[in-house]
């Protein structure tokens, strides 16, 4: 039974709940979602579920096939397209962050890298993923470009979905930590072009790892 928050419209609550399930891998790629079953499961009427599903189709996390709705099942081409967008956007964010970031945020990035090293050794992969997301979010926010932040946020859910879909609970090898270190070093030097290049290469390695896993 859904715990209703009175200050938030029910369809918005349903949207966030089902989206989280999709991103977390609760549903399998290609799985069919049925409006009436979801309404029964959450103890709500069909109308807010219907609106939530419509919004998720717009987000392209669900796909309409005739009258049926299915969970997005990405192809290799989808992965490449989405990561190419992410690559360009986050590389620009790193370049701008090198100019706009404050010393406290640089120190926070360095602390995140240090903790990532620690939890990697302990094989706490859940925390590794959390720190990785936080690392990228700090750099994005530090860019200071509101339009860039908005555009990147538009594909963030898809990127997370692809990562969970492709890596299936695992992550890349530990080389990504060194890539993070080089990105922060360039930002700390206030070298925007170098920061952009390092971030571009970092996400390229993410994509190559994802593609390799997809093909196995």
């Amino acid at each position: 039974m859904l715990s209703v928050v009175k200050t938030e419209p029910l369809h918005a609550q349903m949207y966030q709940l089902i989206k989280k399930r999709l991103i977390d891998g609760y549903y399998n790629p290609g799985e069919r979602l049925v409006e009436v079953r979801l309404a029964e499961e959450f103890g709500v009427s069909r109308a807010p579920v219907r609106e939530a599903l419509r919004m998720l189709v717009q987000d392209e996390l669900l796909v309409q096939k005739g009258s049926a709705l299915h969970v997005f099942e990405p192809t290799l081409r989808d992965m490449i397209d989405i990561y190419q967008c992410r690559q360009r956007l986050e590389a620009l964010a790193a370049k701008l962050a090198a100019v706009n970031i404050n010393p406290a945020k640089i120190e926070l990035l360095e602390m995140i890298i240090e903790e990532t090293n620690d939890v990697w050794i302990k094989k706490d992969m859940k925390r590794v993923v959390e720190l990785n997301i936080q690392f990228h979010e700090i750099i994005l926010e530090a860019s200071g470009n509101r339009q860039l932040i908005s555009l990147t946020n538009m594909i963030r859910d898809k990127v997370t979905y692809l990562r969970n879909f492709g890596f299936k609970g695992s992550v890349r090898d530990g080389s990504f930590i060194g890539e993070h270190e080089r990105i922060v070093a360039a930002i700390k030097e206030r070298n925007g072009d170098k920061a952009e290049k390092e971030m571009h290469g970092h996400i390229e390695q993410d994509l190559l790892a994802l593609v390799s896993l997809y093909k196995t």
Side-chain angles (χ1 to χ4, degrees):
M1 183 76 66
L2 180 67
S3 179
V4 176
V5 181
K6 292 183 178 179
T7 56
E8 188 176 12
L10 189 53
H11 76 271
Q13 295 179 58
M14 293 302 307
Y15 167 74
Q16 292 296 337
L17 180 61
I18 299 170
K19 182 171 77 170
K20 185 177 187 306
R21 283 186 168 193
L22 288 164
I23 291 172
D24 290 347
Y26 182 89
Y27 302 115
N28 294 318
E31 182 176 344
R32 183 180 179 185
L33 297 190
V34 181
E35 177 188 307
V36 64
R37 291 178 187 168
L38 289 169
E40 290 172 355
E41 178 183 356
F42 296 120
V44 299
S45 67
R46 293 173 62 177
V49 174
R50 185 181 306 117
E51 177 62 17
L53 295 177
R54 184 192 65 79
M55 294 165 69
L56 290 163
V57 170
Q58 288 185 330
D59 291 345
E60 297 183 346
L61 291 173
L62 293 179
V63 178
Q64 185 96 37
K65 296 181 179 179
S67 60
L69 290 176
H70 294 263
V71 177
F72 175 47
E73 189 169 15
T75 64
L76 180 58
R77 184 71 254 171
D78 290 326
M79 291 182 178
I80 293 170
D81 289 349
I82 292 167
Y83 264 77
Q84 283 179 339
C85 291
R86 180 192 175 205
Q87 191 174 45
R88 295 295 183 179
L89 292 169
E90 292 204 36
L92 176 56
K95 180 176 184 176
L96 296 175
V99 176
N100 297 318
I101 198 169
N102 62 54
K105 292 296 185 183
I106 293 176
E107 184 177 347
L108 181 55
L109 288 171
E110 291 175 331
M111 289 171 61
I112 288 172
I113 291 172
E114 184 177 347
E115 185 180 351
T116 302
N117 265 307
D118 290 341
V119 296
W120 178 266
I121 292 170
K122 295 174 183 175
K123 301 187 185 303
D124 184 353
M125 294 303 116
K126 181 179 179 182
R127 184 59 181 155
V128 169
V129 171
E130 291 171 351
L131 290 167
N132 180 61
I133 292 170
Q134 188 179 358
F135 179 87
H136 285 272
E137 286 181 345
I138 290 169
I139 292 174
L140 179 61
E141 289 293 330
S143 73
N145 186 315
R146 307 314 301 178
Q147 293 302 315
L148 176 60
I149 292 169
S150 178
L151 287 169
T152 305
N153 284 338
M154 286 174 64
I155 67 166
R156 176 174 292 166
D157 289 337
K158 278 190 177 181
V159 169
T160 305
Y161 177 80
L162 287 181
R163 185 184 295 119
N164 290 338
F165 166 75
F167 289 125
K168 296 179 175 63
S170 63
V171 292
R172 280 179 53 194
D173 62 46
S175 62
F176 79 94
I177 300 174
E179 293 162 15
H180 281 190
E181 289 173 338
R182 291 192 292 275
I183 291 166
V184 173
I187 290 173
K188 196 171 184 178
E189 293 168 7
R190 303 293 178 177
N191 188 330
D193 289 340
K194 186 176 179 181
E196 181 180 32
K197 180 181 178 181
E198 292 292 351
M199 181 65 83
H200 189 279
H202 168 57
I203 295 175
E204 180 72 19
Q205 292 305 310
D206 275 356
L207 175 58
L208 291 174
L210 192 64
V211 169
S212 177
L213 282 170
Y214 180 86
K215 289 180 176 180
T216 58

